[in-house]
Amino acid sequence: MQEMLTKNTTHTLTITGMTSEGLGVGRLGQMAVFVPHAAVGDTIEVLLTKVLKNYAYGKMIRVLTPSQTRILPDCEQFPLCGGCVYRHISYEEELRIKEELVKENFYKIGHIQIPFEPILPSPLLDGYRNKAQLPVGYTKQGALTCGFYQKRSHRIIPNTSCLLQPKAFGPIEREILLHMKEYSIPPYDEETRKGVVRHIYLRRGESTGEIMVCIVVTGKTLRKSDILVSRLHALDKNIASIVLNHNPKNTNVILGEECTTLWGKDSIEDVLCGVNIQISPLSFYQVNRQGAQKLYQKAAQYAALTGSETVLDLYCGAGTIGLSMAKSAKRIIGVEIIPQAVQNAQENARINQIQNAQFFCEDASGAASRLAKEGIRPDVVVLDPPRKGLTPQLIDAVVQMAPSRVVMVSCNSATAARDCAVFVQNGYAPKRACACDLFPRTAHVECVVLLEQEKENLHAR
Ligand code: SAH
């Protein structure tokens, strides 16, 4: 009989694995113990902070024998700031962990065997994010600041020099804070629901250099915004758009539905896989452009288009995946639920002189059912759902449309594995898969899977 573990006791623990959230895992007898900021191969002294029936959480007191994979974290805010989880291990190790986790999810959750290609690394490890959304508030000492919420809290860890964001963002963030101080513009307080500025939200088109400054406010205006506009303009000539987003609601959701352009354009531009892309404050756009290009190239390779195919791009955002495939297809149909993103997609098609793409603003499941009923028979369906994955209704409708290939892109391999398993039950064979790292130093990882209709394969033989 194993000795019972109790809270607040210390133990020696060897870390043997990593969870999908980036917690180190070790074993004390039958118990799995999860420890933040540990590395596989570490032997550590751990203090148990929470003990449950089959597992426990611990806090690292000290490293007794460090893992070979450890490196010195190069950010002062790590690990306090909740942004990065992997600044203490080498990038090779991070890739190994991510690849293993994705594979494991397909084997353990989906119960499917797929030949995996080696994980695609991100071309940039720092400065890769083209978007920053920083809450504004006060530090414990009462100083106005912006930064990141500490993990599982709403305490802001000041950070205007995050290594993951472009270097140009820090000075803009500081300029906005300065303006708020000078004109006594209070940050929004979630508890009292008073105050004005909720978030500083910045986006950058990497290939054009254009920057969008968006300030999320509770009301309709920002005090002395004309002065802020001229200040920002003097600070950085790459700023092409300055926007207020209005979010009066008592909610955790960062953006409200309406925007007012204070100065410049309503959207900025970037080039992704050779396609000019308009980015508006509300449209989804991959945060790591160079990583996304590798991911979309892999998706295109799996789609194997010859020019005669109809491609249905579900959850299409600003249309990026479909538009990057438009030249090699006969027809592209995109579906996306956010109206502004659909407008962007249509605009993107227009400015790229792509005439064979159409976009619908609809729920993907509803649209798939409708298109199936209307007799649309795409050759390839591209799926890129949010983290929660697909609905049974959507999978049903796609199966009814009987595409010969389904290319599933996902930021959550657990739900992707679950959904692929349903396709497999419906006659699709998992042919190839590849993990792709779009989010270095964080626990997130993308994957892309190719499913082929088996009947057609038989037919082809
Ligand atoms: N394929 C795009 C976007 C992928 S992110 C790209 O690579 O850029 C997922 C997208 O699905 C987001 O744009 C989100 O707004 C959209 N979305 C979320 N729920 C949806 C639903 N029920 N129906 C259609 N689109 C949805």
Side-chain angles (χ1 to χ4, degrees):
M1 205 32 209
Q2 187 194 342
E3 198 187 323
M4 282 288 285
L5 292 174
T6 47
K7 193 177 158 173
N8 289 331
T9 53
T10 58
H11 304 262
T12 300
L13 182 73
T14 298
I15 302 298
T16 51
M18 215 45 111
T19 70
S20 57
E21 291 90 39
L23 301 176
V25 194
R27 289 205 158 265
L28 290 177
Q30 299 297 308
M31 292 280 265
V33 183
F34 300 108
V35 191
H37 325 306
V40 175
D42 277 348
T43 300
I44 63 171
E45 190 180 327
V46 67
L47 172 75
L48 299 182
T49 51
K50 190 169 180 180
V51 180
L52 295 143
K53 197 158 163 246
N54 301 313
Y55 59 96
Y57 290 95
K59 191 177 148 189
M60 189 159 50
I61 302 291
R62 61 195 169 112
V63 179
L64 301 171
T65 317
S67 159
Q68 297 276 325
T69 67
R70 274 193 176 266
I71 57 167
L72 226 49
D74 52 0
C75 174
E76 280 178 16
Q77 309 291 13
F78 179 83
L80 203 55
C81 152
C84 295
V85 294
Y86 291 137
R87 276 207 175 265
H88 63 305
I89 58 173
S90 69
Y91 189 53
E92 291 70 38
E93 172 68 353
E94 181 183 334
L95 289 175
R96 184 193 68 78
I97 290 166
K98 288 179 170 177
E99 185 166 57
E100 279 309 302
L101 282 168
V102 171
K103 282 185 183 169
E104 220 177 84
N105 278 339
F106 278 90
Y107 300 146
K108 288 195 180 159
I109 298 174
H111 305 288
I112 31 186
Q113 302 277 339
I114 317 181
F116 266 88
E117 300 184 66
I119 185 168
L120 299 171
S122 172
L124 296 177
L125 301 190
D126 279 326
Y128 64 80
R129 282 191 63 97
N130 55 28
K131 167 169 133 176
Q133 285 178 315
L134 309 178
V136 183
Y138 294 111
T139 61
K140 257 195 196 155
Q141 293 75 26
L144 183 70
T145 191
C146 68
F148 295 88
Y149 287 127
Q150 191 176 351
K151 232 188 163 115
R152 278 183 289 279
S153 104
H154 269 204
R155 209 184 123 207
I156 297 174
I157 304 297
N159 195 347
T160 55
S161 50
C162 171
L163 292 171
L164 300 187
Q165 71 181 18
K167 288 208 167 67
F169 282 6
I172 299 172
E173 290 154 8
R174 292 191 284 272
E175 195 69 39
I176 297 169
L177 291 178
L178 202 68
H179 180 80
M180 288 176 65
K181 266 186 225 157
E182 271 187 39
Y183 294 101
S184 308
I185 303 169
Y188 176 69
D189 181 328
E190 284 177 318
E191 304 219 322
T192 63
R193 296 193 220 158
K194 293 210 170 94
V196 176
V197 177
R198 302 172 72 122
H199 277 79
I200 296 174
Y201 170 28
L202 307 175
R203 295 186 110 168
R204 178 169 176 266
E206 189 189 31
S207 62
T208 59
E210 285 186 343
I211 293 173
M212 168 179 282
V213 177
C214 179
I215 303 170
V216 186
V217 292
T218 48
K220 288 280 174 209
T221 55
L222 183 75
R223 202 176 298 159
K224 302 280 182 198
S225 60
D226 50 334
I227 295 179
L228 180 62
V229 164
S230 49
R231 275 184 154 178
L232 288 173
H233 194 58
L235 176 75
D236 192 334
K237 289 284 174 275
N238 284 318
I239 296 176
S241 166
I242 306 177
V243 179
L244 286 185
N245 174 271
H246 311 288
N247 187 358
K249 292 195 186 139
N250 174 25
T251 167
N252 270 342
V253 178
I254 295 177
L255 296 175
E257 282 152 27
E258 281 174 43
C259 298
T260 312
T261 303
L262 293 176
W263 180 86
K265 306 193 284 183
D266 300 334
S267 53
I268 54 168
E269 231 176 83
D270 202 1
V271 182
L272 187 75
C273 292
V275 180
N276 295 317
I277 303 291
Q278 294 283 330
I279 308 160
S280 76
L282 290 157
S283 61
F284 176 90
Y285 183 56
Q286 293 283 3
V287 297
N288 178 348
R289 173 182 161 270
Q290 294 186 40
Q293 295 197 131
K294 289 175 91 171
L295 177 70
Y296 291 174
Q297 276 156 13
K298 187 53 78 183
Q301 191 189 329
Y302 286 179
L305 300 172
T306 61
S308 62
E309 294 86 356
T310 296
V311 178
L312 177 58
D313 180 10
L314 295 174
Y315 306 93
C316 69
T320 39
I321 300 184
L323 291 174
S324 70
M325 293 179 174
K327 271 200 205 109
S328 341
K330 187 168 107 198
R331 180 183 180 195
I332 306 282
I333 306 169
V335 177
E336 161 64 43
I337 204 160
I338 303 228
Q340 287 86 347
V342 177
Q343 278 165 20
N344 286 152
Q346 283 159 343
E347 181 68 7
N348 291 335
R350 199 184 58 77
I351 58 177
N352 289 283
Q353 278 131 31
I354 294 172
Q355 270 134 20
N356 58 344
Q358 63 189 132
F359 297 93
F360 297 108
C361 185
E362 255 179 284
D363 163 60
S365 303
S369 304
R370 175 178 69 77
L371 294 166
K373 274 201 206 93
E374 287 170 11
I376 300 283
R377 294 287 173 265
D379 304 280
V380 177
V381 175
V382 176
L383 301 164
D384 187 6
R387 294 191 66 76
K388 63 175 189 270
L390 306 173
T391 62
Q393 183 201 355
L394 184 139
I395 302 179
D396 256 13
V398 171
V399 169
Q400 261 185 51
M401 289 188 269
S404 37
R405 282 185 293 284
V406 173
V407 179
M408 167 116 69
V409 179
S410 172
C411 53
N412 182 346
S413 55
T415 56
R418 177 201 70 196
D419 296 338
C420 279
V422 184
F423 276 108
V424 171
Q425 285 158 15
N426 282 285
Y428 282 81
K431 287 291 174 179
R432 267 183 293 163
C434 189
C436 182
D437 188 23
L438 261 53
F439 313 103
R441 300 323 190 192
T442 79
H444 298 287
V445 58
E446 293 267 334
C447 61
V448 49
V449 183
L450 169 63
L451 297 147
E452 272 181 13
Q453 195 185 37
E454 284 187 300
K455 274 179 274 164
E456 192 172 279
N457 296 343
L458 283 175
H459 196 70
R461 262 183 252 150

